[in-house]
């Protein structure tokens, strides 16, 4: 019996939806995660590389840490933009996201 998409798939889908709603087209070129747990929560730390050639990419990234990113069965506990570059071929940014399982 399938439990549905995992937190990584849900997060990637939600990021694409959020970008599209802002009129920004993104590509996720790299995505990795590691399990994470505290005394009371289980979850994952995600590292993603996003690419775009849209002018609205930088403003969208600036607002992303405060954006609502609902994920079925999970909460986005923290999101930070850890790096980025802009060039003639487009822009790239790295984000780190902590998701925790809802109970």
């Amino acid at each position: 019996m399938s439990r549905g998409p995992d937190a990584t798939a849900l997060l990637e889908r939600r990021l694409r939806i959020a970008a599209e709603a802002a009129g920004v087209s993104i590509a996720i070129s790299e995505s990795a995660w590691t399990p994470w747990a505290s005394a009371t929560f289980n979850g994952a730390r995600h590292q993603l590389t996003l690419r775009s050639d849209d002018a609205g990419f930088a403003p969208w990234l600036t607002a992303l840490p405060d954006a609502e990113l609902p994920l079925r069965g999970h909460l986005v506990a923290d999101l930070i933009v850890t790096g980025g570059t802009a060039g003639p071929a487009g822009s790239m940014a790295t984000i780190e996201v902590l998701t925790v399982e809802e109970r």
Side-chain angles (χ1 to χ4, degrees), residues 6-97:
D6 64 13
T8 301
L10 293 169
L11 177 60
E12 289 178 8
R13 186 179 306 150
R14 183 55 59 187
L15 287 167
R16 285 186 181 100
I17 290 168
E20 184 178 305
V24 176
S25 175
I26 64 166
I28 299 172
S29 59
E30 295 179 35
S31 179
W33 68 276
T34 54
W36 174 89
S38 71
T40 54
F41 297 105
N42 292 319
R45 289 194 178 277
H46 308 266
Q47 297 171 333
L48 300 104
T49 301
L50 311 177
R51 298 186 182 278
S52 180
D53 57 1
D54 288 348
F57 186 57
W60 177 74
L61 280 173
T62 300
L64 191 57
D66 296 322
E68 289 293 322
L69 299 172
L71 308 176
R72 184 178 63 238
H74 304 270
L75 297 171
V76 173
D78 191 30
L79 186 153
I80 58 172
V81 178
T82 57
T85 60
S91 298
M92 181 274 307
T94 305
I95 64 171
E96 293 182 5
V97 183

